[in-house]
């Protein structure tokens, strides 16, 4: 009798502590959602508990001990999945991967970030880690091509849009039609440098709403700009807008600066946030997912944010309705795991 291989996800419990030693959870929704969707597919979830200490060396030791404990539960020939990169020291990460190789396990990476590869820092280290895997899931085609150019030899697959779990309902279509001149930006108002010029731009046909962290940014001097507060990531219907803006960097005219450059290759989690809310997206034409946005007709791409006045102002209701229908279809798909789960099923059923 042939024994079915087990699929095991290594799931680190990423709880951090502030300067007052109070626990908090950083931006981990993407990881949490992937865990939830894989558990539904029958994966075994091996949680790696991190014990806290005020002393950094002890925290690192606890991480190592926790991972070794999980390693002992993995059998020969298991398929082992990581939300890459694992938040541990690189030297121990490699040790862990080598041990799994010696056990005859297949290794799968679900890439959360590849900053080093994009910014050309420690590229060899990034590629060396990728090549420990049998298959690595990357964000977009541009990220895949870049990894191949830099020497990645493992199998590479693109997930495009991140799966997004929510039980919240989509914004009603009729409500969306009434807000089709409103553009929302969800994120930190203090870390996106392009916003300085964006706020000063006097748009004639659109209004702009901001959601997220705001440390003393006063929007009252700016025409048709409004701060709407923070919301829980799963509460997608809190976004009241006809469009969702995916933009970063230092310029509102191009993808410049470190964060702008990264948008050329990655799949921002906020892109999925907008889509599962039922909101068409706005992105730069050089964004890593621009081709998917255009082919699926789930939003618009521009070379500069100055184009929004004309593009949105001149769009007919029928044109907007078509985009709205497409994005709601894609949103329903992402709520069920999207392209990511479809690819996962290929591997676990083969």
């Amino acid at each position: 009798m042939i024994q079915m291989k087990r699929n095991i996800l290594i799931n680190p419990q990423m709880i951090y502590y502030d300067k007052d030693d109070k626990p908090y959870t950083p931006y981990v929704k993407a990881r949490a959602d992937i865990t939830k969707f894989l558990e539904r597919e029958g994966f075994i979830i091996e949680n790696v508990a991190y014990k806290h200490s005020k002393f950094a060396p002890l925290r690192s030791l606890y991480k190592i001990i926790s991972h070794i404990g999980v390693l002992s539960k993995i059998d020969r020939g298991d398929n082992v999945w990581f939300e890459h990169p694992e938040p541990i020291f690189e030297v121990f990460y490699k040790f862990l991967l080598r041990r799994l190789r010696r056990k005859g396990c297949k290794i799968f990476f679900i890439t959360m970030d590849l900053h080093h590869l994009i910014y050309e820092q420690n590229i060899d280290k990034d590629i060396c880690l990728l090549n420990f895997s049998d298959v690595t899931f990357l964000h977009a085609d541009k990220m895949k091509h870049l990894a191949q150019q830099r020497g990645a030899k493992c199998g590479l697959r693109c997930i495009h849009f991140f799966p997004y779990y929510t039980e919240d309902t989509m914004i009603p279509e009729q409500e969306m039609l009434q807000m089709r001149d409103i553009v929302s930006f969800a994120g930190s108002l203090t870390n996106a440098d392009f916003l300085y010029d964006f706020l000063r731009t006097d748009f004639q046909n659109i209004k702009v709403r901001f959601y997220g962290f705001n440390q003393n940014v006063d929007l009252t001097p700016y025409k048709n700009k409004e701060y709407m507060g923070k919301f829980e990531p799963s509460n997608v219907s809190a976004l009241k807008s006809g469009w969702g803006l995916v933009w970063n960097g230092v310029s509102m005219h191009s993808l410049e600066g470190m964060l702008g450059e990264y948008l050329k290759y990655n799949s921002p989690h906020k892109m999925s946030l907008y889509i599962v809310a039922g909101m068409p997206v706005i992105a730069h034409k050089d964004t890593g997912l621009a081709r998917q946005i255009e082919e699926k007709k789930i939003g618009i791409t521009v070379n500069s944010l100055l184009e929004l006045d004309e593009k949105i102002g001149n769009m007919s209701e029928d044109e907007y309705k078509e985009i709205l229908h497409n994005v709601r279809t894609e949103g329903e798909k992402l709520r069920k795991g999207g392209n990511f789960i479809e690819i996962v099923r290929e591997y676990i059923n083969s």
Side-chain angles (χ1 to χ4, degrees):
M1 180 178 179
I2 299 175
Q3 185 176 358
M4 294 291 290
K5 289 186 178 181
R6 300 188 305 168
N7 286 283
I8 299 172
L9 175 69
I10 307 299
N11 183 37
Q13 304 298 287
M14 297 177 67
I15 300 175
Y16 292 79
Y17 293 79
D18 61 20
K19 61 181 180 180
D20 298 320
D21 219 31
K22 293 180 180 179
Y24 70 95
T25 303
Y27 308 103
V28 295
K29 179 164 174 56
R31 289 178 181 261
D33 286 357
I34 282 172
T35 300
K36 185 178 292 290
F37 284 116
L38 291 183
E39 190 171 22
R40 286 180 173 180
E41 296 299 313
F43 276 56
I44 298 169
I45 309 301
E46 287 293 351
N47 294 319
V48 181
Y50 290 171
K51 188 175 179 181
H52 178 57
S53 171
K54 293 182 179 180
F55 302 101
L58 272 180
R59 291 200 299 271
S60 299
L61 179 61
Y62 292 145
K63 286 184 180 181
I64 290 172
I65 292 171
S66 297
H67 277 86
I68 289 175
V70 169
L71 184 65
S72 66
K73 300 177 183 179
I74 296 173
D75 296 334
R76 175 168 294 277
D78 283 340
N79 295 327
V80 184
W81 301 65
F82 291 90
E83 292 159 344
H84 179 75
E86 191 76 1
I88 51 177
F89 285 128
E90 182 187 334
V91 171
F92 181 69
Y93 198 7
K94 288 181 178 179
F95 163 79
L96 190 68
L97 296 171
R98 289 191 181 102
R99 286 290 301 273
L100 292 173
R101 279 284 183 216
R102 285 198 288 271
K103 280 191 169 188
C105 296
K106 280 197 170 184
I107 297 171
F108 296 81
F109 284 162
I110 306 160
T111 302
M112 310 309 296
D113 276 309
L114 272 184
H115 284 98
H116 293 161
L117 180 69
I118 308 305
Y119 305 140
E120 300 191 0
Q121 302 167 348
N122 300 317
I123 293 175
D124 291 340
K125 291 183 179 180
D126 252 345
I127 296 301
C128 178
L129 281 172
L130 288 191
N131 285 336
F132 272 99
S133 75
D134 291 277
V135 179
T136 290
F137 290 63
L138 296 175
H139 295 194
D141 294 326
K142 288 184 179 180
M143 185 181 281
K144 175 183 174 180
H145 295 154
L146 185 62
Q148 289 173 329
Q149 290 171 5
R150 299 295 196 237
K153 305 299 182 185
C154 57
L156 298 173
R157 300 295 299 270
C158 295
I159 65 171
H160 297 136
F161 303 105
F162 270 93
Y164 201 106
Y165 176 79
T166 179
E167 295 182 356
D168 212 359
T169 57
M170 281 189 184
I171 305 166
E173 188 170 350
Q174 194 58 41
E175 191 176 337
M176 294 290 296
L177 288 170
Q178 295 170 0
M179 299 187 296
R180 63 191 182 97
D181 63 338
I182 300 175
V183 175
S184 279
F185 174 80
S188 172
L189 274 66
T190 54
N191 293 333
D193 291 341
F194 79 91
L195 288 176
Y196 291 108
D197 290 332
F198 189 53
L199 286 171
R200 296 184 181 92
T201 302
D202 187 12
F203 294 107
Q204 301 301 310
N205 298 318
I206 64 170
K207 304 178 183 69
V208 184
R209 291 176 176 173
F210 297 93
Y211 294 83
F213 294 103
N214 178 20
Q215 295 179 340
N216 303 317
V217 178
D218 183 12
L219 301 187
T220 53
Y222 306 109
K223 182 182 177 182
N224 290 329
K225 311 293 194 305
E226 185 179 10
Y227 175 61
M228 305 295 289
K230 295 185 289 186
F231 65 96
E232 289 296 320
S234 292
N235 185 21
V236 298
S237 63
L239 290 164
K240 302 297 183 183
S241 176
W243 300 87
L245 176 62
V246 180
W247 204 276
N248 218 329
V250 299
S251 172
M252 61 178 282
H253 308 294
S254 60
L255 296 179
E256 296 179 25
M258 185 173 69
L259 296 177
E261 186 71 20
Y262 193 39
L263 271 182
K264 295 179 181 179
Y265 301 94
N266 78 326
S267 172
H269 198 241
K270 75 173 66 178
M271 183 90 74
S272 295
L273 161 68
Y274 296 142
I275 294 171
V276 299
M279 294 167 55
V281 295
I282 299 167
H284 193 279
K285 285 186 179 294
D286 287 339
T287 300
L289 294 178
R291 185 168 64 85
Q292 280 70 35
I293 294 170
E294 292 166 355
E295 288 180 353
K296 292 175 180 288
K297 295 183 179 179
I298 57 174
I300 56 175
T301 59
V302 296
N303 288 307
S304 166
L305 293 179
L306 290 179
E307 298 175 21
L308 295 184
D309 238 0
E310 181 180 354
K311 282 214 169 189
I312 294 176
N314 293 337
M315 182 176 291
S316 70
E317 184 171 306
D318 286 342
E319 288 175 314
Y320 182 72
K321 279 184 177 179
E322 181 185 4
I323 294 174
L324 200 57
H325 171 76
N326 294 336
V327 79
R328 295 173 83 84
T329 300
E330 187 68 21
E332 291 293 352
K333 181 178 176 181
L334 292 184
R335 285 166 177 254
K336 298 173 183 176
N339 187 52
F340 167 70
I341 285 298
E342 290 177 1
I343 299 173
V344 167
R345 287 171 180 165
E346 288 180 22
Y347 287 104
I348 65 177
N349 293 328
S350 64

